[in-house]
Amino acid sequence: MKKVGYLLVLVAGLFYGCTETEEINDSVTGKAYYPLSIGDYRIYNVTHVRFEQDSVSDSTTFQLRERVDTLFTNLAGEPTFKLIRSIRTKPDDSWRDDSVITITVSSSQLRRTSDNLSLVKMVFPVSENKTWNPNVFNTLEPGNARYVNVNQPYAVNGQNFPNTATVQVNDFVSVINKDVRTEVYAENVGLIYKDYEVLQYCNDNQICDVGVDYILFGYRRTETLESYGKTE
């Protein structure tokens, strides 16, 4: 009886130890910056502005909700979460399902697939100035994403987050175009802020007959976390 009891205690201890280690590793590797659990949701205030011929051609504001719906295993044996994206114009409007995205998590990276475009959003472990190519799984030109301000506080929409990591998805500025895309993730919350500014300039007076920094076309999109939680 004593031996059986000892074995039960040992097995229980090993099981608890593995569970605790996995949780610690999620924090250490940085996976806690993009938590995923069925029922989790995040609501964002979105502003999308389009530019054309150096003026605003269209501007829209709305709310976007991402909700973790289901979990399945893909053909490579990787856990993959299906997220349902819904939109509404005003906070008192009903949600309208808009699209579906999937998030695939491996030991080394997190991939997000939407409209048949797969992007590496994060790599693990998260560390300052680590770089990677977000376009490994698509046909776009290689990119150069980078972590900055890892483990730093960040405030957005009146909410203070003590531990965040910023991803510079792209940071390119020239005389003919600008492509600056930034995402901020908070530990145990996920994406809290997103700012994309993609503009095409015309600086050749012989072609455009305009001054410098004339915007031919482009857009700016910001997403700010409004609330988050878990559905029943």
Side-chain angles (χ1 to χ4, degrees), residues 7-23:
L7 288 174
L8 288 174
V9 171
L10 178 60
V11 171
L14 288 173
F15 177 79
Y16 175 79
C18 290
T19 303
E20 185 181 41
T21 300
E22 289 172 359
E23 291 176 355

Side-chain angles (χ1 to χ4, degrees), residues 93-136:
D93 290 344
S94 298
W95 288 107
R96 177 173 58 85
D97 289 347
D98 177 70
S99 58
V100 172
I101 63 174
T102 59
I103 304 293
T104 300
V105 184
S106 71
S107 60
S108 61
Q109 62 187 217
L110 182 147
R111 303 194 306 275
R112 178 185 176 110
T113 302
S114 176
D115 296 327
N116 294 318
L117 179 66
S118 186
L119 298 169
V120 179
K121 303 299 290 184
M122 306 188 84
V123 293
F124 308 117
V126 174
S127 61
E128 188 76 13
N129 292 320
K130 175 180 281 189
T131 62
W132 69 94
N133 175 16
N135 298 322
V136 173

Side-chain angles (χ1 to χ4, degrees), residues 51-54 198-201 214-219:
F51 300 92
E52 188 173 350
Q53 300 303 316
D54 211 38
V198 182
L199 304 172
Q200 184 71 36
Y201 299 115
Y214 182 93
I215 301 174
L216 290 175
F217 56 86
Y219 72 91

Side-chain angles (χ1 to χ4, degrees), residues 92-199:
D92 55 351
D93 290 344
S94 298
W95 288 107
R96 177 173 58 85
D97 289 347
D98 177 70
S99 58
V100 172
I101 63 174
T102 59
I103 304 293
T104 300
V105 184
S106 71
S107 60
S108 61
Q109 62 187 217
L110 182 147
R111 303 194 306 275
R112 178 185 176 110
T113 302
S114 176
D115 296 327
N116 294 318
L117 179 66
S118 186
L119 298 169
V120 179
K121 303 299 290 184
M122 306 188 84
V123 293
F124 308 117
V126 174
S127 61
E128 188 76 13
N129 292 320
K130 175 180 281 189
T131 62
W132 69 94
N133 175 16
N135 298 322
V136 173
F137 295 94
N138 61 56
T139 58
L140 299 177
E141 292 184 3
N144 189 33
R146 181 166 70 103
Y147 287 125
V148 296
N149 300 325
V150 174
N151 298 326
Q152 296 299 310
Y154 197 92
V156 62
N157 199 27
Q159 303 176 82
N160 296 308
F161 300 93
N163 192 352
T164 70
T166 297
V167 176
Q168 287 184 341
V169 182
N170 205 15
D171 187 20
F172 180 80
V173 179
S174 74
V175 295
I176 60 172
N177 69 312
K178 178 179 184 179
D179 189 343
V180 178
R181 288 173 279 170
T182 303
E183 298 172 353
V184 183
Y185 296 86
E187 190 174 43
N188 300 318
V189 178
L191 180 71
I192 60 172
Y193 181 71
K194 172 180 175 178
D195 187 358
Y196 281 18
E197 191 169 20
V198 182
L199 304 172

Side-chain angles (χ1 to χ4, degrees), residues 21-37:
T21 300
E22 289 172 359
E23 291 176 355
I24 291 174
N25 285 342
D26 279 347
S27 178
V28 171
T29 62
K31 290 184 180 181
Y33 284 120
Y34 208 123
L36 291 162
S37 179

